[in-house]
Amino acid sequence: MTTVFVLASASPSRLGLLRSGGISPRVIPSAVDEDQIVSQLPADLADEQVVTELASAKAHAVAAEHATALARETGAERIYVLGCDSMLLAEGELLGKPHTVERAWERWQSIRGKSAHLITGHALAEVAIDGPGPHANTGVGRVITEWSTTTVHFGTPSDRDLRAYLETGEPLECAGAFTLEAMGAWFIDAIEGDPSGVIGVSLPLLRRMLDRVGVSVSELWDPELAGAAAAGGQPPPPS
Protein backbone atom coordinates (compact mmCIF):
# COMPACT_ATOMS: atom_id res chain seq x y z
CA MET A 1 0.00 0.00 0.00
CA THR A 2 1.46 3.33 -1.08
CA THR A 3 1.47 5.92 1.69
CA VAL A 4 2.49 9.56 1.32
CA PHE A 5 3.40 11.57 4.39
CA VAL A 6 3.26 15.36 4.07
CA LEU A 7 4.85 17.96 6.33
CA ALA A 8 2.80 21.15 6.22
CA SER A 9 5.69 23.31 7.35
CA ALA A 10 8.69 25.14 5.93
CA SER A 11 10.66 24.61 9.15
CA PRO A 12 14.15 23.21 8.44
CA SER A 13 14.27 21.96 12.02
CA ARG A 14 11.09 19.90 11.64
CA LEU A 15 12.24 18.49 8.32
CA GLY A 16 15.67 17.64 9.69
CA LEU A 17 14.15 15.94 12.72
CA LEU A 18 11.83 13.78 10.63
CA ARG A 19 14.65 12.85 8.27
CA SER A 20 16.95 11.94 11.14
CA GLY A 21 14.12 9.66 12.30
CA GLY A 22 13.97 7.94 8.92
CA ILE A 23 11.04 9.76 7.31
CA SER A 24 11.45 11.75 4.11
CA PRO A 25 8.19 13.68 3.86
CA ARG A 26 6.73 15.70 1.05
CA VAL A 27 7.13 19.31 2.18
CA ILE A 28 4.16 21.56 1.39
CA PRO A 29 4.18 24.62 3.66
CA SER A 30 0.89 26.01 4.83
CA ALA A 31 0.01 29.59 3.94
CA VAL A 32 -2.50 30.17 6.73
CA ASP A 33 -2.54 33.52 8.50
CA GLU A 34 -1.66 32.55 12.07
CA ASP A 35 -2.45 35.95 13.56
CA GLN A 36 -5.89 35.96 11.97
CA ILE A 37 -6.64 32.47 13.29
CA VAL A 38 -5.59 33.42 16.82
CA SER A 39 -7.69 36.59 16.69
CA GLN A 40 -10.80 34.50 15.95
CA LEU A 41 -10.30 32.04 18.80
CA PRO A 42 -12.21 32.43 22.09
CA ALA A 43 -10.29 34.60 24.55
CA ASP A 44 -10.58 31.98 27.30
CA LEU A 45 -9.28 29.09 25.20
CA ALA A 46 -6.58 27.08 26.97
CA ASP A 47 -3.02 27.74 25.82
CA GLU A 48 -2.59 24.18 24.58
CA GLN A 49 -5.77 24.47 22.53
CA VAL A 50 -4.59 27.69 20.89
CA VAL A 51 -1.45 25.93 19.67
CA THR A 52 -3.30 22.83 18.49
CA GLU A 53 -5.88 24.94 16.66
CA LEU A 54 -3.05 26.54 14.69
CA ALA A 55 -1.55 23.14 13.91
CA SER A 56 -4.95 21.83 12.82
CA ALA A 57 -5.55 24.81 10.52
CA LYS A 58 -2.22 24.19 8.80
CA ALA A 59 -2.81 20.47 8.29
CA HIS A 60 -6.38 21.00 7.08
CA ALA A 61 -5.40 23.76 4.64
CA VAL A 62 -2.65 21.74 2.99
CA ALA A 63 -4.76 18.58 2.83
CA ALA A 64 -7.70 20.44 1.29
CA GLU A 65 -5.62 22.30 -1.29
CA HIS A 66 -3.00 19.78 -2.35
CA ALA A 67 -4.13 16.22 -1.62
CA THR A 68 -5.99 15.59 -4.89
CA ALA A 69 -3.01 16.58 -7.04
CA LEU A 70 -0.73 14.53 -4.82
CA ALA A 71 -2.96 11.45 -5.04
CA ARG A 72 -3.12 11.72 -8.82
CA GLU A 73 0.62 12.24 -9.12
CA THR A 74 1.72 9.41 -6.83
CA GLY A 75 -1.13 6.93 -7.01
CA ALA A 76 -1.08 6.92 -3.21
CA GLU A 77 -3.70 4.90 -1.40
CA ARG A 78 -3.12 6.75 1.86
CA ILE A 79 -2.08 10.37 2.48
CA TYR A 80 -1.43 11.92 5.86
CA VAL A 81 -0.65 15.58 6.48
CA LEU A 82 1.14 16.75 9.61
CA GLY A 83 0.68 20.31 10.81
CA CYS A 84 2.60 21.67 13.80
CA ASP A 85 2.83 24.88 15.74
CA SER A 86 5.01 25.83 18.69
CA MET A 87 4.67 28.65 21.22
CA LEU A 88 6.49 29.48 24.41
CA LEU A 89 4.38 30.01 27.52
CA ALA A 90 6.35 32.47 29.64
CA GLU A 91 4.90 34.15 32.71
CA GLY A 92 1.36 33.52 31.50
CA GLU A 93 1.90 34.83 27.96
CA LEU A 94 2.07 32.80 24.76
CA LEU A 95 5.03 33.88 22.64
CA GLY A 96 5.39 32.98 18.99
CA LYS A 97 8.06 33.92 16.47
CA PRO A 98 9.77 37.26 17.16
CA HIS A 99 10.64 37.96 13.47
CA THR A 100 13.04 40.79 14.35
CA VAL A 101 16.24 41.06 16.37
CA GLU A 102 14.85 43.81 18.58
CA ARG A 103 11.72 41.87 19.47
CA ALA A 104 13.81 38.77 20.17
CA TRP A 105 16.09 40.88 22.38
CA GLU A 106 13.09 42.12 24.36
CA ARG A 107 11.83 38.59 24.87
CA TRP A 108 15.18 37.37 26.09
CA GLN A 109 15.21 40.12 28.71
CA SER A 110 12.09 38.56 30.22
CA ILE A 111 13.16 34.88 29.99
CA ARG A 112 16.90 35.04 30.67
CA GLY A 113 17.70 32.97 33.74
CA LYS A 114 14.10 31.81 34.09
CA SER A 115 11.99 28.80 33.10
CA ALA A 116 9.13 28.60 30.62
CA HIS A 117 7.07 25.96 28.84
CA LEU A 118 7.41 25.17 25.14
CA ILE A 119 4.10 23.87 23.80
CA THR A 120 4.05 22.16 20.42
CA GLY A 121 0.68 21.37 18.88
CA HIS A 122 0.42 18.50 16.41
CA ALA A 123 -2.41 17.81 13.96
CA LEU A 124 -2.52 14.76 11.71
CA ALA A 125 -5.02 15.01 8.86
CA GLU A 126 -6.12 11.77 7.22
CA VAL A 127 -7.03 12.26 3.57
CA ALA A 128 -10.00 10.36 2.14
CA ILE A 129 -9.15 9.16 -1.39
CA ASP A 130 -11.84 8.19 -3.90
CA GLY A 131 -10.85 6.67 -7.21
CA PRO A 132 -7.62 5.31 -8.68
CA GLY A 133 -4.44 7.23 -9.52
CA PRO A 134 -4.96 9.92 -12.16
CA HIS A 135 -8.71 9.97 -11.55
CA ALA A 136 -8.53 10.29 -7.77
CA ASN A 137 -10.55 12.80 -5.82
CA THR A 138 -9.89 13.56 -2.20
CA GLY A 139 -11.41 15.11 0.87
CA VAL A 140 -10.17 15.85 4.35
CA GLY A 141 -11.12 13.05 6.71
CA ARG A 142 -10.53 13.04 10.42
CA VAL A 143 -7.96 15.33 11.96
CA ILE A 144 -6.51 14.21 15.28
CA THR A 145 -4.68 16.64 17.53
CA GLU A 146 -2.26 16.36 20.43
CA TRP A 147 0.34 18.55 22.09
CA SER A 148 3.61 18.16 23.93
CA THR A 149 4.84 20.42 26.70
CA THR A 150 8.47 20.73 27.74
CA THR A 151 9.92 22.91 30.46
CA VAL A 152 12.89 24.97 29.28
CA HIS A 153 15.41 26.42 31.72
CA PHE A 154 17.08 29.40 30.09
CA GLY A 155 20.66 30.36 30.80
CA THR A 156 22.08 33.81 31.39
CA PRO A 157 24.12 34.68 28.30
CA SER A 158 26.08 37.89 28.31
CA ASP A 159 24.65 40.79 26.35
CA ARG A 160 27.48 40.36 23.85
CA ASP A 161 26.80 36.68 23.23
CA LEU A 162 23.04 37.16 23.14
CA ARG A 163 23.24 40.01 20.64
CA ALA A 164 25.64 37.99 18.45
CA TYR A 165 23.29 34.99 18.58
CA LEU A 166 20.21 36.99 17.67
CA GLU A 167 22.00 38.75 14.83
CA THR A 168 22.72 35.39 13.17
CA GLY A 169 18.98 35.33 12.45
CA GLU A 170 18.75 31.73 13.62
CA PRO A 171 16.04 32.19 16.28
CA LEU A 172 13.96 34.88 14.62
CA GLU A 173 11.48 32.44 13.08
CA CYS A 174 11.40 30.16 16.11
CA ALA A 175 8.84 30.19 18.90
CA GLY A 176 10.24 31.92 21.95
CA ALA A 177 13.29 33.26 20.09
CA PHE A 178 15.53 30.28 20.75
CA THR A 179 16.70 27.01 19.25
CA LEU A 180 17.68 23.86 21.10
CA GLU A 181 19.49 21.93 18.39
CA ALA A 182 21.83 24.60 17.05
CA MET A 183 23.61 27.74 18.29
CA GLY A 184 20.91 28.42 20.83
CA ALA A 185 21.95 25.29 22.73
CA TRP A 186 24.74 27.35 24.32
CA PHE A 187 22.11 29.31 26.21
CA ILE A 188 19.71 26.58 27.37
CA ASP A 189 20.76 25.20 30.75
CA ALA A 190 18.35 22.27 30.84
CA ILE A 191 14.99 20.95 29.71
CA GLU A 192 12.41 18.70 31.32
CA GLY A 193 10.48 16.68 28.77
CA ASP A 194 10.79 15.67 25.15
CA PRO A 195 13.63 17.44 23.29
CA SER A 196 12.13 16.62 19.88
CA GLY A 197 8.98 18.49 20.88
CA VAL A 198 11.10 21.59 21.51
CA ILE A 199 12.76 21.25 18.11
CA GLY A 200 9.33 21.15 16.48
CA VAL A 201 7.91 17.61 16.23
CA SER A 202 7.58 15.27 19.18
CA LEU A 203 8.55 11.97 17.58
CA PRO A 204 7.12 9.78 20.39
CA LEU A 205 3.85 11.72 20.25
CA LEU A 206 3.70 11.49 16.46
CA ARG A 207 4.27 7.73 16.69
CA ARG A 208 1.26 7.41 18.99
CA MET A 209 -0.85 9.56 16.66
CA LEU A 210 0.08 7.37 13.71
CA ASP A 211 -0.88 4.31 15.75
CA ARG A 212 -4.35 5.82 16.16
CA VAL A 213 -4.85 5.93 12.38
CA GLY A 214 -3.46 2.42 11.89
CA VAL A 215 -0.01 3.35 10.60
CA SER A 216 3.19 1.86 11.98
CA VAL A 217 5.97 4.42 11.94
CA SER A 218 8.34 1.90 10.35
CA GLU A 219 6.06 1.84 7.30
CA LEU A 220 7.09 5.44 6.65
CA TRP A 221 10.83 4.91 6.97
CA ASP A 222 12.82 5.72 3.86
CA PRO A 223 15.25 2.80 3.29
CA GLU A 224 17.95 5.22 2.13
CA LEU A 225 17.69 7.32 5.28
CA ALA A 226 17.46 4.28 7.53
CA GLY A 227 20.53 2.79 5.83
CA ALA A 228 22.51 5.97 6.39
CA ALA A 229 21.57 6.00 10.05
CA ALA A 230 22.56 2.34 10.48
CA ALA A 231 25.93 3.07 8.88
CA GLY A 232 26.50 5.98 11.26
CA GLY A 233 26.51 8.53 8.48
CA GLN A 234 24.48 11.60 7.81
CA PRO A 235 21.19 11.29 5.88
CA PRO A 236 21.53 12.39 2.26
CA PRO A 237 20.16 15.83 1.44
CA PRO A 238 16.51 16.06 0.32
CA SER A 239 16.04 15.48 -3.38
Side-chain angles (χ1 to χ4, degrees):
M1 180 177 292
T2 303
T3 303
V4 173
F5 185 81
V6 179
L7 175 63
S9 171
S11 166
S13 297
R14 291 191 176 107
L15 175 60
L17 191 60
L18 288 170
R19 286 176 57 80
S20 69
I23 296 178
S24 185
R26 290 290 189 107
V27 177
I28 306 176
S30 161
V32 299
D33 186 329
E34 297 180 28
D35 291 337
Q36 182 181 30
I37 292 170
V38 170
S39 70
Q40 295 173 347
L41 296 175
D44 60 349
L45 196 64
D47 298 318
E48 295 84 357
Q49 289 297 326
V50 172
V51 181
T52 54
E53 285 290 337
L54 287 167
S56 182
K58 294 174 183 180
H60 193 284
V62 169
E65 185 173 350
H66 298 281
T68 295
L70 199 54
R72 292 176 179 179
E73 173 196 341
T74 64
E77 298 164 272
R78 299 187 302 184
I79 298 175
Y80 299 95
V81 180
L82 175 67
C84 295
D85 191 82
S86 298
M87 299 186 82
L88 185 71
L89 179 61
E91 298 183 331
E93 183 181 2
L94 278 177
L95 304 175
K97 305 176 182 70
H99 301 302
T100 68
V101 169
E102 289 312 312
R103 184 174 295 176
W105 177 266
E106 291 172 4
R107 290 187 180 177
W108 265 92
Q109 302 318 302
S110 66
I111 62 177
R112 184 157 44 178
K114 298 179 182 179
S115 299
H117 303 287
L118 196 288
I119 305 170
T120 297
H122 302 62
L124 188 66
E126 187 175 17
V127 174
I129 303 175
D130 179 25
H135 305 291
N137 290 297
T138 66
V140 182
R142 60 177 166 167
V143 179
I144 61 174
T145 59
E146 295 284 355
W147 67 83
S148 67
T149 302
T150 301
T151 302
V152 182
H153 301 286
F154 291 93
T156 53
S158 67
D159 285 354
R160 178 179 179 178
D161 284 347
L162 180 57
R163 176 66 68 174
Y165 170 54
L166 300 180
E167 289 181 351
T168 67
E170 181 185 275
L172 302 186
E173 298 304 317
C174 299
F178 77 98
T179 52
L180 179 65
E181 75 281 13
M183 296 178 72
W186 291 102
F187 312 125
I188 305 301
D189 284 351
I191 66 168
E192 298 173 46
D194 176 16
S196 63
V198 179
I199 295 171
V201 180
S202 170
L203 296 185
L205 181 58
L206 177 57
R207 186 200 73 239
R208 295 193 293 270
M209 294 173 74
L210 288 166
D211 283 344
R212 288 173 57 185
V213 296
V215 177
S216 171
V217 69
S218 60
E219 295 178 58
L220 302 178
W221 287 348
D222 182 326
E224 187 176 3
L225 295 181
Q234 293 294 318
S239 57

